[in-house]
Amino acid sequence: MALDLSALNPNQQAAVVWDQGPLLVLAGPGSGKTKVLTTRIARLIAGSPEKRFRVLGLTFTTKAADEMRSRIDSMITDGRDRVQLATFHSFAADVLRQHGSHVGFKPDFVILNQTADRESVLLDAIQECGRQGVDTDDADVKLLPFLDRLLDTCTNSDEVRKRVRDPDLADKAAALFAEYRHQLEKSNRLDFPCLLGKAIELLESKPAVARLLRTAYPRVCVDEFQDTNYSQYRFLRSIVGDVPHDLFVVADDDQIMYQWNGADPERLSELRHDYKMSVVQLPANYRCPPAVIGLANKLIQHNISRSSDKQPLVAIKTDDHTDAVRLQRFEDTDDEMAWVAADVAGRGVKAHAHCVVLARTKKVLEAAAAALEAAGVTAALNVRKDEFESPPFRWLHSILRLANARGDREQLRRACKAFYSIEGLDLRVEQVVASAAVTGGDLLRAWFEETLVKDLSDLSREYLTALRTRIVSRLDFQAFVTMSLDWFRRLHADEGRDQEALGDVEAEESMWRELVQTIGDRLGEGLTLEAFLQEMDLSPKVPPPPPNAVRCLTIHSSKGMEFAHVYLVGLAEDQLPSFQAVKKGDDSRELQEERRNCFVAITRTQESLTMTYASTYGGWSRQPSRFLHEMGLDLPGEPAPPPPRTA
């Protein structure tokens, strides 16, 4: 089955049909990179119906992987099971589920996504090192970010001392680094950095496993490569080997904005050198008005670390918006935010969901959100969560984890704490542990037995009796989840119950169902409990914005999005660019990243871009951002009048 490629421009078609070795696609914002990537994958599958090889697509967020999956499903009907779309961490988890025994991990390993859980492991390592004579104390838990940097750069235990100048601190860091990893391994737990590290160790130490993986996935596609840190790139190299059959990488060096997380402008050069990549560029921009494209090209050309052969963006849209770009100056940030709020309100409620307020920092966004709410406009601040917050869903998640690891006291503690908020029953962890000791240490079974002899509401007793059978003996976790959700809905409908104590059950049920659907689509039939929990822990818990709400996003969190009307606020020196970047100097890596942040922000625009700045922030005088000058904009001579204040 041949796919129709007539809707693609010549450069896009060239990338989709490329078959002459490793290819790097330099894709500017709004250039249709996702269309190119998904069309290529669909073409590889549709063009080889008699083959059984699989295509691996790696990206950075579950949302991006899900969007790619949806697009591919719309293009092909047969062979969808031959496509594996995943984040780097999700694919690493998949590899370790299948082959992790070679590096000391069982398939039901637990992924730690909470800082508090990781600090608890490090505290255990600190105590163990202390028993071995190392000079440690609990305050050394502050070394966790340093250990993360070591893990992200794939540092070996014997190399740690070379990274620390102080000899005493070097000995301590080396001991804690080794013991922290040992504590994780002996308890069959992994955090995000170790997840990649162990997958790399597996593939590099077991060539037979690596060969098996390359046989299964001879064609690998990577999205947003510019965001990779060293461990992600090394993981990619361990997957494809030195001479990949087909490596297809999409990237944009003008959108590198995660240097704090290990992204590096030099990594694209390293990729091109390591694999002798051919290059296809996608400069055509289908998203932004021509005026915005003109600003973006002027701005980004000031970065000296871009690819020397990078082509400027080309606007495809016709110039049908006379006010596509606006710039406003204000005396202070209060006036700035009040004006933005009034301007957004004037667009009407139907337009609000298509508006976004972008800023460099969350503090500025909080001021913008407050001004929007004061103007009668619903504002949605983007808040990432790694765990559920309502007691019912915290209970559900901890019980499932306890079902997967029957001796996990931390999950038992969480289940007891959450259930206290649901039923007011103060069930002691020590009591359950003592009960479990009589019956072989099964904390899950003991929790149900101890709970059901207590004074419970009739509703909860009825459900817990049925739920115990499903999860303790049968491990039918999908039926357990379905019944639990029904229980939560009935709790929420019980007018005699303290609803505030239950939290926002409706919103979290919606989020839970969406995650379950996504995980089911990703992993297919035969979903196991350990795989379900690992994918759940790898997925951010981000509630959807309210209907007709104006999104208030940091520039980093807006990556990959687009909006009809973009308001970029706080365009002043020491705001954007940040104070830290300004201190580093004009040609510093930090200032170039700030310029890329601004480039990313303005290229989210579909129809109109409004940029604002104030003369003072937090009582301190500020000059207009240098980026405004670099874009060639004429700065307003007088500040804009603030909107009328309402009582």
Side-chain angles (χ1 to χ4, degrees), residues 41-78:
I41 293 174
R43 175 184 166 273
L44 291 173
I45 299 300
S48 59
E50 74 288 355
K51 302 289 181 65
R52 295 310 305 159
F53 70 80
R54 302 191 73 194
V55 179
L56 173 63
L58 293 173
T59 187
F60 281 83
T61 66
T62 55
K63 181 179 179 182
D66 295 338
E67 180 186 349
M68 289 167 60
R69 184 177 298 103
S70 176
R71 291 198 188 197
I72 292 170
D73 285 350
S74 70
M75 286 186 272
I76 59 175
T77 54
D78 297 323

Side-chain angles (χ1 to χ4, degrees), residues 380-512:
L381 274 167
N382 192 52
V383 179
R384 177 190 168 105
K385 300 188 299 181
D386 291 315
E387 283 288 358
F388 294 95
E389 294 179 347
S390 69
F393 281 91
R394 283 193 285 113
W395 177 86
L396 174 59
H397 203 184
S398 59
I399 287 292
L400 287 174
R401 286 166 164 169
L402 194 56
N404 189 53
R406 300 294 178 101
D408 192 332
R409 293 195 183 193
E410 175 58 23
Q411 299 311 320
L412 173 63
R413 183 192 66 77
R414 293 181 180 185
C416 291
K417 183 178 179 181
F419 195 72
Y420 177 79
S421 298
I422 298 171
E423 276 292 296
L425 179 62
D426 189 12
L427 191 63
R428 300 288 178 175
V429 172
E430 297 80 4
Q431 180 182 350
V432 178
V433 171
S435 176
V438 181
T439 57
D442 188 334
L443 297 180
L444 178 67
R445 183 181 299 276
W447 185 90
F448 274 97
E449 290 175 350
E450 288 296 317
T451 301
L452 285 170
V453 298
K454 303 296 183 182
D455 185 17
L456 297 170
S457 66
D458 292 341
L459 175 61
S460 292
R461 182 176 299 281
E462 174 190 347
Y463 271 92
L464 288 176
T465 300
L467 288 169
R468 176 175 61 175
T469 303
R470 292 291 185 183
I471 197 66
V472 174
S473 303
R474 300 183 189 174
L475 202 60
D476 186 353
F477 75 94
Q478 292 175 321
F480 173 79
V481 167
T482 299
M483 294 169 64
S484 296
L485 296 183
D486 187 56
W487 175 36
F488 298 162
R489 283 191 294 272
R490 293 188 62 182
L491 288 173
H492 186 60
D494 185 356
E495 296 180 356
R497 191 174 290 271
D498 182 2
Q499 295 299 320
E500 188 173 339
L502 292 178
D504 196 348
V505 177
E506 287 184 316
E508 295 221 317
E509 179 179 349
S510 175
M511 193 162 50
W512 178 280

Side-chain angles (χ1 to χ4, degrees), residues 67-115:
E67 180 186 349
M68 289 167 60
R69 184 177 298 103
S70 176
R71 291 198 188 197
I72 292 170
D73 285 350
S74 70
M75 286 186 272
I76 59 175
T77 54
D78 297 323
R80 294 172 179 171
D81 59 335
R82 294 171 56 199
V83 181
Q84 169 79 315
L85 300 171
T87 64
F88 281 84
H89 288 91
S90 178
F91 189 65
D94 187 47
V95 171
L96 289 173
R97 273 196 299 273
Q98 297 179 55
H99 308 287
S101 60
H102 293 293
V103 287
F105 284 89
K106 295 180 289 186
D108 61 349
F109 57 83
V110 173
I111 297 175
L112 303 182
N113 61 1
Q114 297 287 296
T115 300

Side-chain angles (χ1 to χ4, degrees), residues 34-303:
T34 304
K35 178 191 291 186
V36 168
L37 190 58
T38 52
T39 303
R40 177 174 177 82
I41 293 174
R43 175 184 166 273
L44 291 173
I45 299 300
S48 59
E50 74 288 355
K51 302 289 181 65
R52 295 310 305 159
F53 70 80
R54 302 191 73 194
V55 179
L56 173 63
L58 293 173
T59 187
F60 281 83
T61 66
T62 55
K63 181 179 179 182
D66 295 338
E67 180 186 349
M68 289 167 60
R69 184 177 298 103
S70 176
R71 291 198 188 197
I72 292 170
D73 285 350
S74 70
M75 286 186 272
I76 59 175
T77 54
D78 297 323
R80 294 172 179 171
D81 59 335
R82 294 171 56 199
V83 181
Q84 169 79 315
L85 300 171
T87 64
F88 281 84
H89 288 91
S90 178
F91 189 65
D94 187 47
V95 171
L96 289 173
R97 273 196 299 273
Q98 297 179 55
H99 308 287
S101 60
H102 293 293
V103 287
F105 284 89
K106 295 180 289 186
D108 61 349
F109 57 83
V110 173
I111 297 175
L112 303 182
N113 61 1
Q114 297 287 296
T115 300
D117 292 338
R118 302 183 63 226
E119 288 178 344
S120 178
V121 175
L122 182 53
L123 284 171
D124 290 341
I126 289 169
Q127 293 171 8
E128 178 58 32
C129 286
R131 285 190 287 270
Q132 296 173 9
V134 182
D135 183 16
T136 60
D137 60 54
D138 288 356
D140 291 327
V141 74
K142 66 180 182 296
L143 291 174
L144 183 58
F146 175 65
L147 299 186
D148 283 347
R149 289 195 294 274
L150 295 175
L151 291 166
D152 284 339
T153 53
C154 300
T155 305
N156 293 325
S157 295
D158 55 1
E159 297 173 335
V160 174
R161 288 180 176 83
K162 301 175 185 177
R163 301 282 298 272
V164 185
R165 293 181 180 178
D166 184 309
D168 293 334
L169 181 58
D171 289 341
K172 178 190 293 186
L176 288 177
F177 181 74
E179 185 58 35
Y180 176 75
R181 298 172 72 190
H182 175 67
Q183 290 287 332
L184 288 172
E185 183 174 335
K186 77 174 187 178
S187 59
N188 203 39
R189 291 183 289 180
L190 288 162
D191 59 12
F192 278 24
C194 287
L195 189 61
L196 287 178
K198 280 297 176 181
I200 293 167
E201 179 186 335
L202 167 67
L203 296 179
E204 291 184 349
S205 65
K206 301 296 179 182
V209 176
R211 286 195 299 270
L212 182 66
L213 205 61
R214 290 165 200 160
T215 301
Y217 298 101
R219 301 180 185 273
V220 178
C221 300
V222 184
D223 190 22
E224 304 281 11
F225 176 84
Q226 75 277 352
D227 292 336
T228 54
N229 61 25
Y230 179 74
S231 62
Q232 288 163 333
Y233 182 43
R234 188 159 165 182
F235 181 45
L236 174 64
R237 292 207 57 175
S238 68
I239 294 170
V240 302
D242 294 331
V243 188
H245 177 70
D246 188 329
L247 176 60
F248 185 87
V249 175
V250 179
D252 185 11
D253 50 358
D254 290 335
Q255 297 189 73
I256 299 171
M257 51 193 299
Y258 294 100
Q259 285 183 173
W260 54 270
N261 197 37
D264 189 334
E266 295 300 319
R267 193 152 293 119
L268 266 177
S269 299
E270 187 179 357
L271 172 79
R272 294 175 72 164
H273 174 268
D274 289 346
Y275 291 109
K276 297 179 174 53
M277 309 284 287
S278 299
V279 177
V280 169
Q281 299 202 39
L282 303 181
N285 178 284
Y286 294 87
R287 177 191 298 155
C288 306
V292 173
I293 295 302
L295 299 180
N297 283 331
K298 289 178 182 178
L299 172 68
I300 204 63
Q301 70 181 357
H302 290 271
N303 267 12

